[in-house]
Amino acid sequence: MKIKIPSNKKALFESITEVIDTRYFDNLATVLINKKEESITIIAGKPPLCSHSKFTLDKSSSHVKDTQFSIDGSFIKQLPNYFSKDEDIEFSVHTSFSNATSVELIHKDTKSSENALRRCECVDVYEAHLAYLKESAQRPTSTVSKATIERVIYEAKQNMPLELCEMNAEKQYCRVQRDGNVEEVHLPDNLNLPVSMVLTEEIIREVDNVCKATEGDEIEVAQQGESITFKTPEVTVTYSLAGVEEFYAKKPLKFINEKHVVVDLLALKNEVRHCSAEYKTIKKSDNALLYLSGDKAAIAFIMPPFEFVHPIAVTQTCSETKNSESLYRFSLKALLGINISDLTQAESTRLDILKYSRIQPRSAPLAKLGRIA
């Protein structure tokens, strides 16, 4: 039989096969072809962390019959790459007299202008994938508007880098774990979370892509144990939340607002961006120093073989001890990830310096840069 998946479904196809880890030889994908529905369902990943989607076949598909089999995940993951951007994904499914099944296609290599045969033998259907498909259909979910999920993803991105991020609907706050420590972050007043969920950086990126790919206005969410599932009309994806129970048990760090300064944020970010982009040692360390003394400030990168110090304009400062000198360490990625809503005010941006309330065994105060107003 000839199977053809429309080219406009390639992005969705790739999002399904994203969970296939090609480092493992036993990572199978399962294919279910339905003659009556004229559809093909693809299930990928290792249960319970799977993804699946049902595609309506192009009308030019022929000799379609009910078939199910599993196949090497690497082959399925490469399928879209064997066709140009505007080409449909097209392959044939052959069954021999001995009932052995194989998938075959012609790869039109644009670089060499030669056509290559790509054939992969199939195996008996992976029963764990069928069990996952059945369980997924029966799993109770909460329905959330796509717009709300997009807003949740946006707010979560503002706190990256992170390990785990809890969006708590009951208390309407966000808990973020970074470097093993947990801190609480207030959510905007106009964001009303209808359901709680925990995210990782991988989930944030993947669900962002799911939102862009779906044509529906709603997304179903189900979090169970150490996994979370997102369902759209086109795709269902389950992600790992390993370590979430330990995350829930951790008490958030308490911070003291030690001081604030009003600085030129663009100048600060430009120096960080320059050093991060041009010096691999600095970028890898993800570490910089902020020096404050009265109305003077400077950003410094001190790591062999470099010693860079760049003054930063300060228009206002506030601290309990006037003219006190302070040295703070911060993450380059965290600073570059900070956005402000009004760029016209960037030259006079308030930067809060928050310090852990518990005593830290370090010679210099260990602090973090607070949310920028």
Side-chain angles (χ1 to χ4, degrees), residues 66-222:
D66 293 337
T67 310
Q68 61 181 27
F69 56 84
S70 291
I71 190 169
D72 185 276
S74 300
F75 185 80
I76 286 291
K77 192 165 187 172
Q78 282 298 316
L79 270 182
N81 299 325
Y82 293 140
F83 303 91
S84 63
K85 181 180 179 180
D86 298 322
E87 276 188 302
D88 297 332
I89 299 174
E90 183 176 343
F91 57 90
S92 298
V93 179
H94 297 286
T95 302
S96 67
F97 291 110
S98 61
N99 289 324
T101 303
S102 63
V103 170
E104 177 184 301
L105 61 89
I106 300 299
H107 175 199
K108 300 175 183 178
D109 195 329
T110 55
K111 293 182 179 179
S112 65
S113 299
E114 299 288 344
N115 292 339
L117 172 68
R118 309 282 184 186
R119 178 187 291 128
C120 184
E121 293 184 359
C122 306
V123 297
D124 292 340
V125 67
Y126 184 31
E127 293 295 336
H129 274 165
L130 299 183
Y132 167 80
L133 192 65
K134 181 179 179 180
E135 188 275 334
S136 177
Q138 298 173 343
R139 182 178 302 170
T141 61
S142 299
T143 302
V144 184
S145 71
K146 183 174 79 170
T148 298
I149 295 293
E150 289 173 330
R151 181 67 188 280
V152 166
I153 295 302
Y154 172 81
E155 293 297 335
K157 283 183 177 180
Q158 305 313 301
N159 292 288
M160 291 172 64
L162 55 82
E163 293 149 10
L164 290 164
C165 172
E166 178 195 8
M167 295 292 185
N168 191 298
E170 180 182 353
K171 299 181 179 179
Q172 291 294 307
Y173 68 38
C174 172
R175 295 175 80 246
V176 177
Q177 178 172 304
R178 190 181 295 110
D179 297 328
N181 293 318
V182 174
E183 57 189 87
E184 293 182 357
V185 179
H186 291 292
L187 294 173
D189 293 336
N190 61 351
L191 174 57
N192 185 27
L193 292 173
V195 60
S196 296
M197 65 185 78
V198 175
L199 308 169
T200 64
E201 283 199 7
E202 177 190 7
I203 297 173
I204 291 168
R205 288 190 292 267
E206 292 298 320
V207 175
D208 191 20
N209 292 333
V210 168
C211 289
K212 292 174 182 176
T214 184
E215 297 178 0
D217 295 326
E218 295 180 332
I219 296 177
E220 296 178 62
V221 183

Side-chain angles (χ1 to χ4, degrees), residues 272-287:
V272 171
R273 188 176 291 110
H274 165 73
C275 293
S276 179
E278 304 301 333
Y279 299 92
K280 302 304 180 187
T281 301
I282 292 176
K283 180 178 181 180
K284 185 178 180 180
S285 73
D286 191 31
N287 185 32

Side-chain angles (χ1 to χ4, degrees), residues 11 27 52 89 212 229 256-257 267 269 294 371:
N27 209 322
H52 73 271
I89 299 174
K212 292 174 182 176
T229 299
I256 297 173
N257 194 331
K269 293 185 73 171
R371 299 197 75 172

